[in-house]
Amino acid sequence: MRDTRESRLLLVLLIAIAFALITVDIRGGEASPVDGARQAAATVFGPVENGVASAVDPVGNAIGAVRASGSRHDKIAALEKQNAELKAKLGSDDRNRSRVRQLDEMLKKSATGQYGIKAAEVIAIGAAQGFSWTVTIDAGSKDGLKRDMTVLNGDGLVGRVTTVGPDTATVLLANDPDFTVGTRMESTDELGFATGQGSRPLAVQFLNGKARVKKGDRLVTFGSSKDKPFVPGVPVGEVVRVDPSGGDLTRTVYVRPYVSFTKLDIVGIVVQAPREDPRDMVLPKKPKAPAKPKPTPTVTVTISPNGDIVDTEGNVVGNIHESPSPDPSGNATPNADNAANEQR
């Protein structure tokens, strides 16, 4: 298209329409009028994202094979190919081990909390929903997923499902500024609301302005009505900073989430809530406090005027005037001076 007045007007018009749609979407919130269009887009592009994610490895292998085919009989090229294959295999094995570990930890969490989960893989970052912290997963309505389901992994709370297509779904991450979840503090049961702050710790506002909170205290999800969008007992994070209450009705603290939102791979969508609130059972075990060192016993000796060495119980253990005498093995035994020095 040539740079004409009409093309510039068309560009300005398209930009204005885009900003208008973003504004309507943000103000609409959960009942956004463009939600239907978003779901339609997920239906159309979800299988494409899924297919691209699953095809990356075969394509890479094919490209490597084509590059090496022209110099198959060249010794250097053959060695380079073998080296590349070994590196690829090692990387694949490491990734598989990491994925197995993540899946194992997530299954242990779900078993402890009695959550019925559907495992999924993160296949894209940042869906077409403005500038939100979101990811796309390779599971959708065909797998039983619905909107406002809790998403977790082996570390804790990941987020909640916001848009569901047949084969994929969009998850709003817990560190998104539009994300809010009810929390309960371990042991004291103080209630509050955690809000995402991007790459910074979550901001948690406790309902009790005089709540006793200290660094290291841990929080879990409080749960929602009918378990949507949040089931209870999912680990949220640890307190890293406490603001002075200043006599306010509420109190704000800052919590480092257990989940690393930039390293998501395997996640679980809670498709069945627990029958009972697991309370604090899903929280990781606290590290054991280091054992106190045992005091080293000390022995005090005194020397009497006649040279006898007397211990604290009044027993004579030697004499400083005694000379060393050979033991049965032929070695000289230490004299009283040495014995006194050793016991000191």
Side-chain angles (χ1 to χ4, degrees):
M1 179 181 293
R2 291 183 299 175
D3 186 10
T4 63
R5 182 180 179 183
E6 290 77 8
S7 61
R8 293 181 181 178
L9 289 175
L10 178 60
L11 178 60
V12 172
L13 179 61
L14 291 175
I15 294 174
I17 293 174
F19 275 103
L21 289 175
I22 292 174
T23 303
V24 171
D25 187 23
I26 293 175
R27 291 184 177 180
E30 298 290 343
S32 173
V34 299
D35 189 57
R38 186 183 298 119
Q39 292 185 1
T43 302
V44 174
F45 295 108
V48 177
E49 289 180 322
N50 206 349
V52 170
S54 61
V56 169
D57 289 339
V59 172
N61 294 335
I63 293 174
V66 171
R67 288 178 178 173
S69 62
S71 55
R72 185 169 300 173
H73 301 290
D74 186 82
K75 187 175 181 179
I76 296 178
L79 291 174
E80 289 178 348
K81 181 181 177 182
Q82 292 178 6
N83 188 30
E85 289 176 350
L86 289 174
K87 288 182 178 180
K89 185 177 185 301
L90 179 61
S92 177
D93 289 345
D94 289 343
R95 185 168 186 267
N96 288 336
R97 281 193 291 268
S98 175
R99 290 160 66 88
V100 169
R101 177 184 56 79
Q102 292 178 51
L103 183 60
D104 182 63
E105 291 177 354
M106 185 176 67
L107 291 176
K108 288 179 179 178
K109 279 278 194 299
S110 62
T112 303
Q114 296 298 306
Y115 306 124
I117 65 169
K118 168 68 181 178
E121 180 183 357
V122 174
I123 59 174
I125 299 174
Q129 296 187 21
F131 301 97
S132 301
W133 288 73
T134 60
V135 294
T136 302
I137 57 177
D138 64 348
S141 58
K142 293 180 180 178
D143 304 290
L145 270 61
K146 297 179 181 179
R147 185 171 178 171
D148 286 336
M149 283 185 168
T150 307
V151 183
L152 51 79
N153 66 2
D155 297 320
L157 179 67
V158 172
R160 63 180 177 88
V161 177
T162 56
T163 305
V164 181
D167 303 293
T168 61
T170 301
V171 177
L172 183 68
L173 301 181
N175 65 334
D176 186 273
D178 290 333
F179 186 97
T180 301
V181 57
T183 62
R184 180 180 56 78
M185 195 162 67
E186 179 186 18
S187 303
T188 64
D189 291 340
E190 292 286 356
L191 301 182
F193 292 95
T195 303
Q197 296 194 113
S199 58
R200 295 179 295 168
L202 306 176
V204 179
Q205 194 173 50
F206 283 101
L207 302 181
N208 180 7
K210 298 181 180 180
R212 294 185 178 180
V213 191
K214 64 181 183 300
K215 185 177 179 180
D217 285 343
R218 308 188 297 177
L219 288 82
V220 298
T221 55
F222 177 65
S224 307
S225 174
K226 298 182 180 179
D227 299 311
K228 286 188 177 183
F230 302 109
V231 295
V234 180
V236 175
E238 293 185 1
V239 175
V240 293
R241 185 164 64 104
V242 181
D243 280 353
S245 60
D248 296 334
L249 296 179
T250 60
R251 188 170 195 182
T252 301
V253 302
Y254 298 91
V255 173
R256 180 181 64 246
Y258 288 120
V259 172
S260 177
F261 298 105
T262 58
K263 298 180 181 180
L264 294 173
D265 188 6
I266 303 297
V267 298
I269 302 88
V270 181
V271 295
Q272 183 176 358
R275 294 182 179 179
E276 297 181 358
D277 186 347
R279 305 290 296 176
D280 303 328
M281 292 191 300
V282 191
L283 282 168
K285 293 182 179 180
K286 289 185 177 180
K288 293 182 179 179
K292 294 182 179 180
K294 295 181 178 180
T296 304
T298 58
V299 178
T300 304
V301 297
T302 57
I303 300 176
S304 61
N306 62 356
D308 289 339
I309 302 172
V310 183
D311 62 14
T312 54
E313 297 180 357
N315 300 319
V316 178
V317 296
N319 190 285
I320 61 174
H321 302 299
E322 292 179 355
S323 59
S325 57
D327 61 11
S329 62
N331 298 323
T333 57
N335 58 19
D337 290 337
N338 294 336
N341 291 333
E342 289 178 1
Q343 295 193 32
R344 285 185 187 137

